[in-house]
Amino acid sequence: MTAAPGGATASTGPRRARRGPRVGFVLIAVLAGLLAAYDLSEAVTNLVLVPQDVRYQNNAFFDEVGVGSLAASPPWAALWANVLLPPVAYVVALLVARRRTLGRAALVFATGLAAVAAASLGLTAYVLSI
């Protein structure tokens, strides 16, 4: 190993230069993770509160009166898809972005968050329209 100016060896030089992009990548990944967690909390809120909605509380009355065909059930598939979407999209974005430059990694995370937001908005509109 040859000594570089300042007492550093030649093998530690590239490692120090690499630290900057890693810190930037971690910061971008953490920020995207926080935004994905916010989307996940909204989805969990919908999963808990939508089945308690007034339109589903009348099902026992409809069955008792004899018009059970009017009974509604929550759209469980859409609610669970809305819960699973943010973590899956974040993991996919993390796997795609891990070997990219800092700008491209930020773009991958932003694209993943935009896709999650669009899909969550569509699923929420579908759930509330039933």
Side-chain angles (χ1 to χ4, degrees):
M1 294 186 170
T2 61
T9 61
S11 64
T12 60
R15 183 177 291 176
R16 286 187 183 157
R18 182 88 171 120
R19 179 171 283 172
R22 282 188 188 164
V23 170
F25 179 81
V26 169
L27 289 175
I28 290 172
V30 167
L31 180 65
L34 290 173
L35 293 172
Y38 178 75
D39 229 356
L40 178 64
S41 71
E42 289 178 344
V44 169
T45 301
N46 282 342
L47 181 68
V48 172
L49 293 181
V50 166
Q52 297 174 6
D53 199 1
V54 173
R55 61 188 143 179
Y56 303 119
Q57 292 177 359
N58 294 330
N59 288 345
F61 173 73
F62 290 147
D63 289 336
E64 185 178 311
V65 175
V67 288
S69 62
L70 295 176
S73 66
W76 291 111
L79 289 171
W80 278 107
N82 201 15
V83 169
L84 294 175
L85 186 64
V88 169
Y90 178 75
V91 169
V92 168
L94 188 63
L95 291 175
V96 169
R98 68 182 175 155
R99 301 273 183 200
R100 307 281 187 248
T101 62
L102 194 58
R104 289 183 181 174
L107 189 61
V108 167
F109 281 117
T111 303
L113 289 170
V116 167
S120 294
L121 184 62
L123 285 170
T124 302
Y126 167 71
V127 166
L128 295 179
S129 70
I130 294 179

